[in-house]
């Protein structure tokens, strides 16, 4: 006796639609456009493709994967430090870096100089209509690489697109969360007369690099941005030199602006020995031609070659002393026996 073959029931129209949706969900998102359009910021399919095909692919991690309105982060009982910053640099790509790694490193360093261990970042992109997708992919890849180097995760983000001419290609906003597991709080009000000031490397390199990269000045110099994460250097400093009172990231406005802000907050005067401030000849020469003071030029302080920090009674290279107006001025070589605050 031959068994009759029973035909499977034909799928209903509803099932066909569900199967098609499931296949679409499994399909890897690919951004096929060459330039950003307003549709990429409208919240529909183009937005979803951009987010999944570019951002999620670059920053992939379990906390980002749900793509919820917020990331759920574990807490261990430590104090949290939250910082935020926005990046509108022009040009977007420059010797030594680009707006992508600058955004990650700048946020990581803001957390580090607060005494925190950087853990999580957000990334918000404001894109101009017509911005090249390959340039955006390059920026995102740079951010992802910088995040891996710094040991942080990009766990949430946002994308907006504005009309052509309403932005300078690409702006990035970040927020950063770090864990403050040290008992000390590093604040300007803790600075005292007699403290020493340290810088982590030659100043002014980033700002001069950006000014020359714009091509508006007929000046050539062998300079590159020193953008880099400083969290490991800061941790070593704090482990070695418990007398540190304050740390600041001397970006916009440079070291001089930081010194003025701290002096005002702490009610002290700051005496700077110009000979003790490290400035590379190329940067110094460019600043002289432009008629600007390197102390007021933005830094990213990525260099670790120019400072060492050991015990409180040992010497600190590249220092200038902070003093009250009544305190005697001393040289950089004799200042290091005092607690320090850093730029």
């Amino acid at each position: 006796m031959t068994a009759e073959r029973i035909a499977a029931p034909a799928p209903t129209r509803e099932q066909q639609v569900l199967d098609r949706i499931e296949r679409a969900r499994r399909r890897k998102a690919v951004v096929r456009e060459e330039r950003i359009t307003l549709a990429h910021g409208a919240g529909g399919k183009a937005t979803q493709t951009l987010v999944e095909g570019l951002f999620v692919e670059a920053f992939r991690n379990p906390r980002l994967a749900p793509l919820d309105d917020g990331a759920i982060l574990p807490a261990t009982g430590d104090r949290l430090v939250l910082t935020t910053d926005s990046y509108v640099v022009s040009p977007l790509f420059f010797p030594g870096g680009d707006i992508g790694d600058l955004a990650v490193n700048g946020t990581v360093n803001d957390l580090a100089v607060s005494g925190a261990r950087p853990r999580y970042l957000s990334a918000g992109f404001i894109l101009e209509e017509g911005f090249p997708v390959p340039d955006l992919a390059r920026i995102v890849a740079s951010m992802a690489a910088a995040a891996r180097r710094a040991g942080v995760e990009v766990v949430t983000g946002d994308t907006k697109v504005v009309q052509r001419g309403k932005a300078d290609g690409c702006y990035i906003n970040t927020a950063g969360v770090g864990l403050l597991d040290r008992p000390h709080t590093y604040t300007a009000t803790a600075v005292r007369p007699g403290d020493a000031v340290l810088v982590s490397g030659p100043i002014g390199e980033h700002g001069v690099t950006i000014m020359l990269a714009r091509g508006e000045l007929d000046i050539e110099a062998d300079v590159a941005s020193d953008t880099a994460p400083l969290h490991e250097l800061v941790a070593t400093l704090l482990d070695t030199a418990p007398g540190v009172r304050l740390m600041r990231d001397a970006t916009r406005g440079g070291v001089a602006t930081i010194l003025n802000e701290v002096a005002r907050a702490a009610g002290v005067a700051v005496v700077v020995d110009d000979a003790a401030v490290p400035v590379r000849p190329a940067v110094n020469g460019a600043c002289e031609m432009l008629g600007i003071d390197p102390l007021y030029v933005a830094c990213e302080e990525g260099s670790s070659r120019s400072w060492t920090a050991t015990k409180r009674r040992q010497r600190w290279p590249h220092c200038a002393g902070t003093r009250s107006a009544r305190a005697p001025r001393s040289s950089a070589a004799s200042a290091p026996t005092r607690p320090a605050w850093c730029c």
Side-chain angles (χ1 to χ4, degrees):
M1 178 177 176
T2 304
E4 295 183 3
R5 184 174 298 174
I6 302 175
T12 63
R13 182 174 179 80
E14 179 182 2
Q15 187 60 47
Q16 291 176 344
V17 171
L18 292 176
D19 291 343
R20 191 178 303 122
I21 292 174
E22 186 60 29
R23 288 195 298 271
R25 284 175 176 170
R26 290 195 299 264
R27 192 180 304 129
K28 184 177 179 180
V30 177
V31 181
R32 303 188 184 282
E33 295 84 359
E34 288 296 319
R35 294 186 177 274
I36 296 297
T37 68
L38 290 177
H40 285 117
K45 184 178 180 180
T47 302
Q48 181 182 5
T49 301
L50 181 67
V51 169
E52 295 183 357
L54 193 61
F55 300 120
V56 173
E57 189 66 24
F59 301 134
R60 186 177 301 279
N61 63 76
R63 294 179 181 86
L64 177 64
L67 293 180
D68 292 331
D69 285 345
I72 300 176
L73 308 178
T76 61
D78 295 324
R79 291 179 295 169
L80 298 180
V81 175
L82 172 66
T83 187
T84 186
D85 209 341
S86 298
Y87 297 85
V88 294
V89 64
S90 177
L92 299 175
F93 305 96
F94 46 83
D98 57 54
I99 191 174
D101 59 7
L102 184 68
V104 171
N105 294 335
T107 309
V108 165
N109 291 346
D110 283 345
L111 292 170
V113 298
S114 300
R117 289 187 291 114
R119 295 294 303 275
Y120 308 109
L121 301 183
S122 72
F125 292 82
I126 299 177
L127 306 173
E128 182 180 6
E129 179 187 12
F131 186 67
V133 171
D135 285 354
L136 178 59
R138 179 181 170 188
I139 290 169
V140 173
S142 178
M143 289 186 72
R148 287 192 296 270
R149 287 193 299 269
V152 297
E153 293 180 336
V154 177
V155 296
T156 189
D158 184 51
T159 306
K160 294 292 186 294
V161 178
V162 298
Q163 292 176 333
R164 193 184 303 268
K166 300 296 185 180
D168 195 9
C170 173
Y171 300 150
I172 300 177
N173 172 267
T174 60
V177 175
L179 300 180
L180 187 61
D181 49 13
R182 299 177 185 272
H184 191 66
T185 299
Y186 304 95
T187 174
T189 56
V191 172
R192 297 291 182 267
D195 286 353
V197 182
L198 286 77
V199 292
S200 65
I203 68 171
E205 294 186 5
H206 176 72
V208 168
T209 297
I210 296 301
M211 285 187 282
L212 299 186
R214 289 171 182 157
E216 300 170 353
L217 306 170
D218 190 18
I219 300 175
E220 293 184 2
D222 185 18
V223 294
S225 173
D226 55 352
T227 176
L230 286 179
H231 60 295
E232 292 182 348
L233 299 178
V234 169
T236 301
L237 172 66
L238 297 180
D239 290 340
T240 309
V244 171
R245 301 190 194 276
L246 170 70
M247 297 174 290
R248 294 288 298 273
D249 192 15
T251 50
R252 183 173 48 189
V255 172
T257 297
I258 296 297
L259 297 181
N260 279 287
E261 291 175 354
V262 173
R264 185 167 58 249
V268 300
V270 182
V271 179
V272 178
D273 183 353
D274 286 342
V277 180
V279 185
R280 296 194 189 281
V283 173
N284 195 52
C287 287
E288 287 183 355
M289 295 182 68
L290 295 171
I292 57 179
D293 189 336
L295 282 169
Y296 285 92
V297 178
C299 309
E300 284 300 318
E301 299 299 357
S303 171
S304 62
R305 295 183 295 275
S306 296
W307 64 265
T308 57
T310 54
K311 294 297 182 181
R312 178 172 172 179
R313 296 184 180 277
Q314 294 180 325
R315 293 193 170 186
W316 308 71
H318 299 147
C319 310
T322 60
R323 302 280 182 274
S324 69
R326 299 183 299 276
R329 178 173 178 169
S330 64
S331 68
S334 60
T337 57
R338 289 166 288 276
W341 52 283
C342 309
C343 299

